[in-house]
Amino acid sequence: MTKSQMFTRVTAAAVLALVTVTAAKAQSVADFYRGKTITYNLAVPDGASWGLYARTFIEHLRKHIPGNPNVILQVMPGGGGVLASNHVFNVAVKDGTVIGTPLSTAMVFAATEPNQVKYDPRKFSWIGSMAVVQDVITVWHTAPAKTLDDAKRIELIMGATGKGSNSFQDVALTNNLLGTKFKPVRGYKGGAEINIAIERGEVHGRSTTWESWPGSHPDWLRDKKLVHLVQLGPRKLPEIGDDVPLLRDLVSGEQQAIVDFIGVSLAMGRAVYAPPGVPKDRIDALRLAFVATMKDPAYIAQAKKLKLDTTTSQTGDAVERIVGDAFSLPPALIKKAKAAIDLP
């Protein structure tokens, strides 16, 4: 046998071995998931935009996971998303049968209040993100203040859930950086409950993701019952209104760095994670299934029908980088950011 023939045989054997190992891994993932049920943990009540995204996503996800497991929704609101993330990190089984969407502000809360959480965002297994989020502070059309300048003189009662939620942090940040007089009232279970309180006149408004309005109350937008005061996010959305300023554009220097840090939750958006410690081949399979779902024509068509964003999804690697960058910021800046999202 010539050296050339021997090299060819060795190379062929190596390739065959690699293909065999790869096939075995793929088969083991399919065998694991076949006949099983994945629990999808949602950190907020199953309403408005968060619920729409979660239910639409899991409806199409299963067909892209090897073995085609069933996927069911588990709703676990509480503590501004901290309850759900504590559960996924510490209690949920670490075999790939629990995934979910956290309330992304709970990830920033872990950086500013590490002693009040039982999870480390850097150790979650990040699967991807369905869409970047844009927040907006909004009041009812009968509120006593209808501009940001008015809100610097007139107190506005704002509905909120927990201190780790955007409904609290957004208004606290705006108060501390711009001098507005928003007064958040905590304790609401979710956005739907706050919306009822707004309509009843119990509170003047709330901060929420922009998509929650066209998704849950397009009639309020149509009838001009909502007045938007300021946008929070990485870019200005014209559909909110050209005259509605972006908070980032109203500050500079260190304050802008603080806004960007708090905005990590918006950049992460509607992320999907799994507990730490899930076998790598299953995480790899879930990441591939996530990407395939985002590209699935059936998913895209349904999402567009529901007015969900299908253009800003991110891979698990991208979400990991966002989280890693946030936790690598100077402690002094994180300390100032913590003060900026708190109120007496």
Side-chain angles (χ1 to χ4, degrees):
M1 181 184 298
T2 66
K3 288 184 177 180
S4 177
Q5 289 173 323
M6 183 178 294
F7 177 78
T8 300
R9 286 192 178 184
V10 171
T11 302
V15 170
L16 178 61
L18 179 60
V19 169
T20 301
V21 169
T22 302
K25 285 186 176 181
Q27 183 64 32
S28 67
V29 171
D31 286 344
F32 172 77
Y33 278 118
R34 189 171 293 112
K36 285 192 171 60
T37 295
I38 292 177
T39 299
Y40 193 94
N41 182 286
L42 179 63
V44 295
D46 181 19
S49 59
W50 291 96
L52 282 176
Y53 270 96
R55 284 183 275 107
T56 304
F57 174 62
I58 66 176
E59 180 180 337
H60 297 276
L61 174 66
R62 68 176 304 273
K63 64 186 175 185
H64 297 292
I65 299 176
N68 306 125
N70 187 32
V71 186
I72 61 172
L73 185 65
Q74 176 189 52
V75 178
M76 190 176 287
V82 171
L83 178 65
S85 292
N86 278 343
H87 173 83
V88 172
F89 194 88
N90 299 289
V91 179
V93 292
K94 296 173 172 56
D95 63 356
T97 59
V98 175
I99 60 176
T101 289
L103 190 58
S104 49
T105 50
M107 302 300 107
V108 173
F109 190 70
T112 59
E113 298 285 358
N115 296 327
Q116 294 190 33
V117 304
K118 297 178 181 179
Y119 56 86
D120 184 339
R122 293 166 293 185
K123 294 181 180 179
F124 281 115
S125 301
W126 294 101
I127 308 302
S129 174
M130 291 174 270
V132 172
V133 168
Q134 182 85 353
D135 279 3
V136 59
I137 297 179
T138 300
V139 295
W140 195 240
H141 63 104
T142 59
K146 298 181 178 64
T147 68
L148 202 57
D149 285 337
D150 287 344
K152 294 176 183 179
R153 299 181 294 102
I154 302 169
E155 184 178 80
L156 292 169
I157 310 300
M158 309 296 283
T161 53
K163 290 190 77 171
S165 70
N166 62 340
S167 57
F168 181 89
Q169 291 184 4
D170 288 351
V171 297
L173 182 65
T174 308
N175 279 2
N176 287 320
L177 297 188
L178 300 183
T180 49
K181 297 183 180 299
F182 298 120
K183 182 179 179 180
V185 176
R186 290 181 286 152
Y188 290 97
K189 294 180 180 179
E193 191 173 291
I194 298 176
N195 288 346
I196 292 172
I198 291 173
E199 196 168 26
R200 289 176 175 171
E202 296 171 11
V203 297
H204 294 125
R206 63 181 291 212
S207 182
T208 186
T209 56
W210 162 247
E211 288 173 302
S212 70
W213 292 126
S216 64
H217 281 290
D219 54 325
W220 287 5
L221 293 175
R222 181 197 65 217
D223 299 338
K224 302 186 184 306
K225 291 187 175 181
L226 300 175
V227 180
H228 309 299
L229 303 184
V230 63
Q231 305 183 46
L232 298 93
R235 76 280 193 227
K236 192 173 180 180
L237 293 184
E239 56 264 42
I240 296 179
D242 289 335
D243 58 336
V244 182
L246 184 69
L247 179 61
R248 192 180 190 279
D249 293 341
L250 301 177
V251 297
S252 60
E254 189 175 66
Q255 287 191 337
Q256 199 168 72
I258 289 172
V259 170
D260 289 343
F261 169 71
I262 302 303
V264 164
S265 63
L266 304 175
M268 286 178 61
R270 303 176 191 280
V272 180
Y273 65 175
V278 176
K280 184 179 182 301
D281 58 340
R282 295 174 198 168
I283 292 298
D284 290 343
L286 290 170
R287 284 184 165 191
L288 288 173
F290 174 86
V291 172
T293 303
M294 294 297 99
K295 295 179 179 179
D296 187 332
Y299 167 80
I300 293 172
Q302 185 176 352
K304 285 184 175 180
K305 185 177 180 180
L306 295 170
K307 302 186 184 305
L308 307 182
D309 181 5
T310 61
T311 63
T312 61
S313 64
Q314 302 174 84
T315 65
D317 284 337
V319 179
E320 275 187 5
R321 285 193 295 272
I322 291 170
V323 172
D325 289 347
F327 278 78
S328 65
L329 289 173
L333 179 62
I334 293 179
K335 184 177 180 180
K336 290 179 180 180
K338 172 183 174 180
I341 56 173
D342 198 11
L343 290 173

